[in-house]
PDB file of all heavy atoms in Angstrom:
ATOM      1  N   MET A   1     -62.272 -40.103 225.223  1.00 74.00           N
ATOM      2  CA  MET A   1     -62.882 -41.283 226.039  1.00 74.00           C
ATOM      3  C   MET A   1     -63.176 -40.722 227.409  1.00 74.00           C
ATOM      4  O   MET A   1     -62.890 -39.805 227.873  1.00 74.00           O
ATOM      5  CB  MET A   1     -61.790 -42.349 225.986  1.00 74.00           C
ATOM      6  CG  MET A   1     -60.386 -41.972 226.516  1.00 74.00           C
ATOM      7  SD  MET A   1     -59.228 -43.245 226.380  1.00 74.00           S
ATOM      8  CE  MET A   1     -58.852 -43.205 224.679  1.00 74.00           C
ATOM      9  N   PRO A   2     -64.022 -41.631 228.116  1.00 66.00           N
ATOM     10  CA  PRO A   2     -64.461 -41.185 229.414  1.00 66.00           C
ATOM     11  C   PRO A   2     -63.349 -41.412 230.340  1.00 66.00           C
ATOM     12  O   PRO A   2     -62.377 -42.162 230.207  1.00 66.00           O
ATOM     13  CB  PRO A   2     -65.665 -42.136 229.773  1.00 66.00           C
ATOM     14  CG  PRO A   2     -65.414 -43.338 229.041  1.00 66.00           C
ATOM     15  CD  PRO A   2     -64.542 -42.892 227.834  1.00 66.00           C
ATOM     16  N   GLU A 303     -64.793 -41.323 221.501  1.00 98.00           N
ATOM     17  CA  GLU A 303     -65.626 -40.375 220.924  1.00 98.00           C
ATOM     18  C   GLU A 303     -65.395 -40.355 219.326  1.00 98.00           C
ATOM     19  O   GLU A 303     -65.355 -39.228 218.771  1.00 98.00           O
ATOM     20  CB  GLU A 303     -65.288 -38.871 221.328  1.00 98.00           C
ATOM     21  CG  GLU A 303     -63.850 -38.435 221.157  1.00 98.00           C
ATOM     22  CD  GLU A 303     -62.858 -38.878 222.288  1.00 98.00           C
ATOM     23  OE1 GLU A 303     -63.124 -39.733 223.098  1.00 98.00           O
ATOM     24  OE2 GLU A 303     -61.850 -38.140 222.386  1.00 98.00           O
ATOM     25  N   HIS A 321     -70.527 -37.062 227.903  1.00 98.00           N
ATOM     26  CA  HIS A 321     -69.140 -36.874 227.760  1.00 98.00           C
ATOM     27  C   HIS A 321     -68.653 -37.099 226.250  1.00 98.00           C
ATOM     28  O   HIS A 321     -68.087 -36.203 225.639  1.00 98.00           O
ATOM     29  CB  HIS A 321     -68.423 -37.820 228.717  1.00 98.00           C
ATOM     30  CG  HIS A 321     -66.784 -37.790 228.667  1.00 98.00           C
ATOM     31  ND1 HIS A 321     -66.031 -37.192 229.651  1.00 98.00           N
ATOM     32  CD2 HIS A 321     -65.951 -38.116 227.627  1.00 98.00           C
ATOM     33  CE1 HIS A 321     -64.815 -37.312 229.236  1.00 98.00           C
ATOM     34  NE2 HIS A 321     -64.611 -37.828 228.178  1.00 98.00           N
ATOM     35  N   GLU A 322     -69.135 -38.306 225.771  1.00 98.00           N
ATOM     36  CA  GLU A 322     -68.658 -38.558 224.389  1.00 98.00           C
ATOM     37  C   GLU A 322     -69.281 -37.651 223.356  1.00 98.00           C
ATOM     38  O   GLU A 322     -68.685 -37.426 222.417  1.00 98.00           O
ATOM     39  CB  GLU A 322     -68.899 -40.081 224.028  1.00 98.00           C
ATOM     40  CG  GLU A 322     -68.273 -41.097 225.073  1.00 98.00           C
ATOM     41  CD  GLU A 322     -66.795 -40.967 225.268  1.00 98.00           C
ATOM     42  OE1 GLU A 322     -66.208 -40.344 224.417  1.00 98.00           O
ATOM     43  OE2 GLU A 322     -66.341 -41.401 226.287  1.00 98.00           O
ATOM     44  N   HIS A 325     -67.509 -34.461 223.206  1.00 98.00           N
ATOM     45  CA  HIS A 325     -66.242 -34.559 222.446  1.00 98.00           C
ATOM     46  C   HIS A 325     -66.440 -34.128 220.926  1.00 98.00           C
ATOM     47  O   HIS A 325     -65.552 -33.850 220.284  1.00 98.00           O
ATOM     48  CB  HIS A 325     -65.749 -35.955 222.621  1.00 98.00           C
ATOM     49  CG  HIS A 325     -64.779 -36.171 223.698  1.00 98.00           C
ATOM     50  ND1 HIS A 325     -63.714 -35.413 223.918  1.00 98.00           N
ATOM     51  CD2 HIS A 325     -64.828 -37.189 224.547  1.00 98.00           C
ATOM     52  CE1 HIS A 325     -62.945 -35.790 224.864  1.00 98.00           C
ATOM     53  NE2 HIS A 325     -63.683 -36.961 225.303  1.00 98.00           N
ATOM     54  N   GLU A 344     -60.428 -33.656 226.974  1.00 98.00           N
ATOM     55  CA  GLU A 344     -60.811 -34.154 228.198  1.00 98.00           C
ATOM     56  C   GLU A 344     -61.449 -33.304 229.195  1.00 98.00           C
ATOM     57  O   GLU A 344     -62.272 -33.558 229.999  1.00 98.00           O
ATOM     58  CB  GLU A 344     -59.823 -35.253 228.742  1.00 98.00           C
ATOM     59  CG  GLU A 344     -59.393 -36.332 227.669  1.00 98.00           C
ATOM     60  CD  GLU A 344     -60.645 -37.122 227.180  1.00 98.00           C
ATOM     61  OE1 GLU A 344     -61.822 -37.029 227.771  1.00 98.00           O
ATOM     62  OE2 GLU A 344     -60.422 -37.864 226.169  1.00 98.00           O
ATOM     63  N   ALA A 347     -64.791 -32.171 227.882  1.00 98.00           N
ATOM     64  CA  ALA A 347     -65.709 -33.171 227.902  1.00 98.00           C
ATOM     65  C   ALA A 347     -66.098 -33.546 229.403  1.00 98.00           C
ATOM     66  O   ALA A 347     -67.302 -33.844 229.692  1.00 98.00           O
ATOM     67  CB  ALA A 347     -65.213 -34.492 227.219  1.00 98.00           C
ATOM     68  N   TYR A 401     -58.065 -35.037 232.821  1.00 98.00           N
ATOM     69  CA  TYR A 401     -59.573 -34.938 232.832  1.00 98.00           C
ATOM     70  C   TYR A 401     -60.148 -33.925 233.977  1.00 98.00           C
ATOM     71  O   TYR A 401     -60.702 -32.921 233.569  1.00 98.00           O
ATOM     72  CB  TYR A 401     -60.048 -36.317 233.058  1.00 98.00           C
ATOM     73  CG  TYR A 401     -59.976 -37.312 232.019  1.00 98.00           C
ATOM     74  CD1 TYR A 401     -58.739 -37.774 231.535  1.00 98.00           C
ATOM     75  CD2 TYR A 401     -61.162 -37.684 231.344  1.00 98.00           C
ATOM     76  CE1 TYR A 401     -58.653 -38.703 230.546  1.00 98.00           C
ATOM     77  CE2 TYR A 401     -61.066 -38.562 230.166  1.00 98.00           C
ATOM     78  CZ  TYR A 401     -59.892 -39.027 229.866  1.00 98.00           C
ATOM     79  OH  TYR A 401     -59.720 -39.950 228.821  1.00 98.00           O
TER      80      TYR A 401
HETATM   81 ZN1   ZN B   1     -63.148 -38.290 226.836  1.00 77.61          ZN
END
Side-chain angles (χ1 to χ4, degrees):
M1 56 186 75
E303 62 269 24
H321 179 110
E322 305 305 339
H325 269 308
E344 301 302 349
Y401 288 69

